[in-house]
Amino acid sequence: MNHIETRIVGPGKVLRGEFVVPGDKSISHRSIMFASLAEGKSRISGLLRGEDCLSTLQAFQSLGIEVEDRAADELIIHGRGLDGLCEAGDVIDCGNSGTTMRLMSGILAGQPLFSVLTGDRYLRNRPMARVIEPLTSMGATIHGRSNHSKAPFAICGGGLQPIQYHSPIASAQVKSALLLAGMQIEGTTTVFEPHLSRDHSERMLRYFGADINSFKGGASVTGRVRLTGRDVVVPGDISSAAFFLVAGLIVPGSELLLQNVGVNPTRSGVIDILQQMGGSIKLLNEREVCGEPVADLLVKSSDLHGIAIGGEVIPRAIDEFPVISVAAAFADGETTINDAKELRVKETDRIAAICDCLGGLGAAIEPRADGMKIVGGRPLAGGQVKSFGDHRIAMSMAVAGLVAQESVEILDTSCTETSFPGFWDLLNMIQAG
Ligand code: S3P
């Protein structure tokens, strides 16, 4: 089989260092999207140049948005307002990015344009009915593969009516898609969700001048309010920081300072969970940047114990369960993860992938329909694991390699470029102290 890049991570070194992680992926996507829909110039700094965000950038360039590429993490976007997008001359390729595809669906449903969205083989298999159905009930015409539930799909946008939508899942992508559609039309569109999902769209749309109302149980937008170009500073991604939080906790004698990390409470479930497991993580220098809470995180190696995880914390930590599972495999006693069925439809089926990888290294782990059970404390052997083409599985297995008895060889690691360019260099750097 032809694997793209293999990495070997071995045990044995104490981790030390102070560093920043790349910009937040969710916030970077939104900054490009909302700046494009605003009127005038927006300067975005701290932007994540991962493949996912580049898919969003290219999508807007294909819709006629002019972008000035400044420095490695800085862009200037010349927004054209709510009615300024042009029809793309070709299919829009969202790559591996669910956020690009689902949020773009909401934006394009409101535009009187014909658009076709597709993605890589993983994204083409992910469920899209969750946005296609409510956008269709708002009045968009969307035709797609598998009875309009999968990409590629085609959108004939425009002529929408506001709705009140009760989402069956706590999904920021669904919520954002509907708010973005509703933002373009007269009237108020409301989305209710079972638990609060990440609220970056609400915060940033408000920052750009939209009429957004957040309330317990959901959010609403009253449309046709002009957005104005603003400067956005993107904080470090807590989902990327999570790999180093867990590494710092489980490698004995380690101490790491992660600077400038976004700690929005709708994203910081991983900190709550790891602290509850006994982890020493301190938030220092807490501040607010462009409407988002930010802090420096000091992590020291700790003795962890198993806990029961479920309910409202699940959407607040949804992307971190691969690496939380690694922490659980090293913790004393049993950790259970429930209410996390959404893990089955991420970049890969993450419940199956985590069980395959950690089980293959010797962990006592069992899948459940909506989560898993891990009995920690048994040492992990080394060995070979697959990434399943999923960036977060690859990086979580690298963290496991730091504390396994022998090296862990991870197959197909080029996917880490999706969210964390420079991950392997940073890992080497902190291993060298
Ligand atoms: C994201 C929302 C989450 C998350 C994804 C990014 C976003 O997905 O898993 O990585 O930027 O809105 P869901 O909306 O499917 O929960």
Side-chain angles (χ1 to χ4, degrees):
M1 218 200 285
N2 185 21
H3 295 291
I4 319 149
E5 260 186 37
T6 292
R7 299 277 180 166
I8 298 176
V9 179
K13 293 183 187 132
V14 165
L15 308 180
R16 294 278 159 146
E18 298 185 10
F19 54 92
V20 290
V21 292
D24 186 281
K25 184 154 77 70
S26 290
I27 298 176
S28 295
H29 280 298
R30 286 160 172 82
S31 66
I32 297 166
M33 293 179 180
F34 305 168
S36 299
L37 295 171
E39 290 173 24
K41 192 164 115 175
S42 295
R43 179 191 304 270
I44 304 168
S45 45
L47 183 87
L48 170 67
R49 294 261 180 181
E51 285 172 357
D52 269 16
C53 299
L54 296 179
S55 295
T56 292
L57 190 62
Q58 278 154 16
F60 277 94
Q61 286 175 306
S62 76
L63 293 163
I65 296 296
E66 192 197 325
V67 177
E68 283 176 62
D69 237 320
R70 283 297 168 98
D73 67 348
E74 194 175 302
L75 283 181
I76 290 184
I77 294 192
H78 294 273
R80 293 168 54 98
L82 292 180
D83 303 314
L85 298 182
C86 310
E87 194 164 78
D90 203 346
V91 169
I92 296 175
D93 186 353
C94 303
N96 188 245
S97 174
T99 307
T100 309
M101 185 168 277
R102 296 198 179 112
L103 270 60
M104 293 293 301
S105 301
I107 292 170
L108 293 170
Q111 299 281 321
L113 306 172
F114 174 77
S115 313
V116 183
L117 300 183
T118 192
D120 70 7
R121 66 194 169 100
Y122 301 101
L123 187 57
R124 289 197 308 272
N125 257 321
R126 295 184 64 188
M128 293 298 146
R130 55 183 60 197
V131 289
I132 292 176
E133 280 175 12
L135 290 171
T136 302
S137 68
M138 289 178 84
T141 303
I142 306 179
H143 291 291
R145 211 162 61 79
S146 292
N147 196 26
H148 319 306
S149 69
K150 287 192 175 154
F153 55 87
I155 305 175
C156 286
L160 302 186
Q161 299 292 325
I163 53 167
Q164 301 228 322
Y165 186 67
H166 290 263
S167 175
I169 43 176
S171 161
Q173 294 178 354
V174 171
K175 175 174 62 176
S176 304
L178 300 185
L179 293 176
L180 288 166
M183 187 177 83
Q184 302 174 66
I185 50 173
E186 301 284 351
T188 300
T189 295
T190 307
V191 187
F192 300 94
E193 48 183 355
H195 291 296
L196 182 59
S197 64
R198 65 191 66 190
D199 65 356
H200 303 302
S201 292
E202 295 92 304
R203 287 173 187 257
M204 198 187 292
L205 283 173
R206 205 174 283 128
Y207 180 73
F208 274 95
D211 185 359
I212 298 275
N213 178 25
S214 301
F215 53 89
K216 198 171 178 331
S220 66
V221 63
T222 302
R224 295 308 305 167
V225 174
R226 293 168 52 192
L227 307 189
T228 312
R230 299 280 315 256
D231 291 349
V232 179
V233 180
V234 180
D237 197 326
I238 191 167
S239 298
S240 298
F243 302 107
F244 294 97
L245 293 180
V246 172
L249 290 175
I250 65 179
V251 176
S254 298
E255 180 170 327
L256 299 172
L257 181 67
L258 286 72
Q259 292 153 331
N260 192 39
V261 182
V263 289
N264 179 320
T266 62
R267 292 286 301 285
S268 60
V270 62
I271 297 179
D272 300 343
I273 289 170
L274 293 172
Q275 285 175 335
Q276 226 191 316
M277 293 175 80
S280 167
I281 302 174
K282 286 204 177 94
L283 276 70
L284 309 176
N285 191 16
E286 290 186 63
R287 55 211 186 261
E288 193 167 299
V289 180
C290 300
E292 288 282 347
V294 176
D296 302 331
L297 304 179
L298 179 67
V299 55
K300 292 185 186 171
S301 63
S302 309
D303 292 330
L304 301 181
H305 54 81
I307 57 168
I309 307 169
E312 65 78 38
V313 76
I314 297 292
R316 298 199 299 113
I318 192 66
D319 292 336
E320 285 67 74
F321 286 105
V323 79
I324 289 170
S325 304
V326 173
F330 283 88
D332 246 5
E334 184 178 295
T335 295
T336 52
I337 301 168
N338 290 315
D339 309 321
K341 201 163 127 224
E342 277 294 296
L343 293 177
R344 297 246 177 232
V345 291
K346 292 295 173 190
E347 283 80 334
T348 187
D349 175 344
R350 285 190 174 153
I351 295 176
I354 294 165
C355 291
D356 184 273
C357 290
L358 282 178
L361 296 178
I365 181 164
E366 276 171 28
R368 290 181 172 174
D370 67 343
M372 56 205 125
K373 180 174 117 178
I374 302 162
V375 182
R378 192 200 278 187
L380 291 188
Q384 196 182 64
V385 293
K386 289 184 283 197
S387 73
F388 297 87
D390 183 328
H391 52 135
R392 301 202 198 281
I393 298 290
M395 292 185 276
S396 300
M397 288 308 112
V399 175
L402 297 172
V403 281
Q405 288 176 317
E406 304 284 339
S407 298
V408 172
E409 183 184 8
I410 309 147
L411 304 179
D412 188 3
T413 53
S414 55
C415 53
T416 56
E417 291 297 312
T418 300
S419 65
F420 204 151
F423 171 78
W424 303 101
D425 291 341
L426 186 53
L427 192 64
N428 281 337
M429 186 192 90
I430 60 167
Q431 281 186 291

